[in-house]
Amino acid sequence: DAMVIQNPRYQVTQFGKPVTLSCSQTLNHNVMYWYQQKSSQAPKLLFHYYDKDFNNEADTPDNFQSRRPNTSFCFLDIRSPGLGDAAMYLCATSRGGGTYEQYFGPGTRLTVT
Amino acid sequence: DQQVKQNSPSLSVQEGRISILNCDYTNSMFDYFLWYKKYPAEGPTFLISISSIKDKNEDGRFTVFLNKSAKHLSLHIVPSQPGDSAVYFCAASEGSNYQLIWGAGTKLIIKP
């Protein structure tokens, strides 16, 4: 089945210790997104890639970086996690913008100790 | 300023009855609307969408209605089933914009 896969499902890191979350897709979609979701709030878009073109949301902290080495994989790097970065991180893909639906992975729950 | 609003944080419905989830928006430039369903500890799952050129879209038990003049859309689930218990998010997009603007979500509880 075509899908969006996120690893790990649960990640614990220490305050200030860099962490990388990964996402892969078998849908062959052009666009990949990273969202942050806290408790039961709406997902907050951090950035997206259209192919290799990177687009950062204006209010995404510099602490968050991303890499997309190829169509299938995308990584979220948190350089110095703070307690406020504890959240669910969701990866999504779509064929394009606008009327194309976004398909989400199961998410990675990040805990910062 | 919230451009997409879901004013009911939660809704409780008897199994077998109709569930109606509501969503209001303020940006008249939105031209595509989506509903997502989210179970705890999982990512949102796409349910159904509607373009602004339509006023209704149906998919099985799910129907979305769009009232552009009122800037209001609703999701109807008939009949409601226990597996429908989840948080439902309304989202909107404008043109070819990649960003979805999300509502805060409504928690639907289906009572047996």
Side-chain angles (χ1 to χ4, degrees):
Chain A
D1 278 346
M3 56 175 53
V4 182
I5 301 158
Q6 289 188 248
N7 286 306
R9 293 294 308 275
Y10 301 91
Q11 175 76 56
V12 179
T13 191
Q14 291 177 332
F15 182 93
K17 185 172 181 183
V19 67
T20 295
L21 309 181
S22 73
C23 176
S24 63
Q25 56 136 340
T26 59
L27 296 157
N28 204 32
H29 283 170
N30 294 318
V31 191
M32 294 187 78
Y33 308 79
W34 279 104
Y35 286 88
Q36 179 192 65
Q37 186 176 32
K38 294 188 175 182
S39 58
S40 55
Q41 296 175 18
K44 177 182 181 299
L45 182 64
L46 296 173
F47 20 62
H48 76 270
Y49 279 92
Y50 186 98
D51 290 333
K52 284 198 174 288
D53 291 336
F54 176 72
N55 296 271
N56 201 29
E57 293 303 304
D59 57 354
T60 298
D62 292 340
N63 198 24
F64 292 85
Q65 304 285 320
S66 184
R67 297 170 282 136
R68 189 179 185 185
N70 54 52
T71 302
S72 301
F73 285 88
C74 196
F75 300 96
L76 170 63
D77 300 308
I78 309 176
R79 292 192 294 189
S80 181
L83 297 178
D85 296 328
M88 175 76 88
Y89 289 89
L90 297 164
C91 174
T93 72
S94 69
R95 278 190 288 169
T99 60
Y100 290 103
E101 296 83 26
Q102 295 183 18
Y103 295 87
F104 285 81
T108 295
R109 168 72 63 189
L110 179 69
T111 301
V112 182
T113 60
Chain B
D1 178 31
Q2 267 192 299
Q3 296 186 68
V4 176
K5 298 178 187 177
Q6 293 177 256
N7 291 319
S8 300
S10 66
L11 175 67
S12 188
V13 174
Q14 202 75 35
E15 182 180 355
R17 308 291 286 266
I18 183 171
S19 295
I20 300 175
L21 297 110
N22 293 304
C23 179
D24 295 294
Y25 62 96
T26 56
N27 187 345
S28 57
M29 299 301 291
F30 287 148
D31 55 7
Y32 196 66
F33 303 89
L34 309 93
W35 284 95
Y36 283 84
K37 172 180 175 179
K38 187 180 184 301
Y39 293 119
E42 293 185 15
T45 303
F46 170 72
L47 261 182
I48 192 168
S49 60
I50 188 165
S51 162
S52 60
I53 62 172
K54 294 186 174 181
D55 54 19
K56 179 182 172 181
N57 189 26
E58 257 181 287
D59 184 0
R61 297 186 297 116
F62 302 92
T63 303
V64 56
F65 295 91
L66 175 63
N67 181 334
K68 285 195 297 292
S69 60
K71 294 192 180 71
H72 176 83
L73 64 155
S74 60
L75 174 68
H76 293 212
I77 306 173
V78 182
S80 300
Q81 297 174 355
D84 296 330
S85 295
V87 177
Y88 289 78
F89 289 97
C90 168
S93 69
E94 176 188 340
S96 59
N97 206 326
Y98 292 96
Q99 186 176 32
L100 289 179
I101 307 301
W102 296 77
T106 295
K107 184 175 184 178
L108 176 64
I109 301 162
I110 305 300
K111 299 180 292 189

